[in-house]
Amino acid sequence: MKNKIIIDVVSDVVCPWCAIGYKRLEQAITEMGIQDQIALEWQPFQLNPNMPAEGQDVEEHITEKYGSTPEQQKESQERMTEFGAELGFKFDYFKGMRMANTFDAHVLLTYAKEQGKQTELKLRLLNAFFGEHKDVSDRAILKQELEAIGLNVTEAFSVLDNKEMRTKVKSEEEYWKSLGVNSVPTVVFNRKSAVNGAQPVAVYKKILTDILAS
């Protein structure tokens, strides 16, 4: 039996291109019929590690961080919405949408990995933020999403406030940064090669085909 292809997806739950990139990668894997040959893990990256607990208006945040005008942002959001629709992922941008602090989400994703439900939780959080007008820093929302995929909320929340676990997640984030990851999504294959950004399905297929042939 061949070794599985290990894929690390370094990303954040408030990163639209991370949703698009993953869905394209998923499509490539499905079309190739190699689901049983893939071992995928999500790795933590905070786009905004200093985001306050109350968050920040998305339009204001993007203007501050990237210098984008409201018109440019609208155009970008429309493009992402189209890309998402092609992949079965819903983007529903709205006036007053707020950027969220995502550290708690990353801690829970580490817990979910240990329970074998990391991808389920990641997709729930991405959908909650981009498609359901939910604040993914709100612990009541996080509780709902844990329940939605059948995870033990009491156990998960005890992990959430565990200092060792929080330190572990910070260390993991620093580890990927130390390897040069400074933008997301970054998709790493077998810890040997990586691609940045939401690549087309064909690119992921080419990479996977080359790895399988090697």
Side-chain angles (χ1 to χ4, degrees):
M1 183 178 171
K2 286 188 176 180
N3 290 333
K4 290 200 174 191
I5 298 172
I6 299 166
I7 299 178
D8 292 289
V9 183
V10 189
S11 69
D12 201 355
V13 298
V14 292
C15 162
W17 292 110
C18 294
I20 291 167
Y22 171 72
K23 295 301 285 184
R24 287 176 177 170
L25 174 64
E26 181 186 48
Q27 185 177 323
I29 291 166
T30 302
E31 289 180 3
M32 291 174 70
I34 58 169
Q35 295 94 318
D36 61 342
Q37 293 173 256
I38 302 296
L40 186 144
E41 287 188 7
W42 297 88
Q43 305 297 348
F45 187 97
Q46 294 178 86
L47 281 170
N48 311 291
N50 300 314
M51 181 61 62
E54 68 274 14
Q56 183 183 19
D57 179 84
V58 165
E59 186 176 303
E60 178 186 288
H61 173 72
I62 300 296
T63 300
E64 270 184 22
K65 190 169 183 178
Y66 303 107
S68 306
T69 66
E71 293 74 22
Q72 289 170 327
Q73 290 183 49
K74 187 171 186 295
E75 188 180 311
S76 175
Q77 289 169 359
E78 286 173 354
R79 192 166 76 253
M80 286 184 286
T81 301
E82 286 174 16
F83 286 150
E86 289 168 8
L87 298 157
F89 185 88
K90 181 184 177 185
F91 285 100
D92 185 9
Y93 287 98
F94 60 97
K95 195 71 178 170
M97 186 175 185
R98 296 185 72 77
M99 191 56 72
N101 183 295
T102 58
F103 189 72
D104 279 1
H106 286 298
V107 175
L108 291 175
L109 283 163
T110 300
Y111 166 76
K113 177 166 63 180
E114 295 167 358
Q115 309 304 313
K117 291 200 169 191
Q118 192 186 31
T119 294
E120 282 183 73
L121 182 59
K122 183 76 176 194
L123 291 174
R124 275 303 321 138
L125 293 172
L126 285 166
N127 278 296
F129 183 74
F130 286 110
E132 299 169 3
H133 299 197
K134 292 179 180 177
D135 175 0
V136 291
S137 67
D138 184 333
R139 291 198 169 190
I141 297 295
L142 293 172
K143 180 181 176 183
Q144 287 174 17
E145 305 313 328
L146 289 165
E147 288 175 338
I149 61 167
L151 283 171
N152 184 312
V153 173
T154 304
E155 187 176 84
F157 268 62
S158 70
V159 167
L160 187 54
D161 288 319
N162 181 290
K163 284 184 180 177
E164 284 182 17
M165 179 63 95
R166 295 180 80 82
T167 300
K168 178 186 175 185
V169 173
K170 282 180 182 171
S171 297
E172 287 175 353
E173 188 174 10
E174 288 307 314
Y175 168 75
W176 290 102
K177 284 182 180 177
S178 75
L179 294 182
V181 175
N182 55 24
S183 65
V184 288
T186 294
V187 183
V188 184
F189 298 89
N190 285 334
R191 302 276 169 114
K192 292 178 181 176
S193 62
V195 288
N196 302 103
Q199 299 294 327
V201 173
V203 171
Y204 291 126
K205 281 185 173 179
K206 172 78 167 58
I207 293 168
L208 293 165
T209 300
D210 288 349
I211 292 172
L212 289 169
S214 62

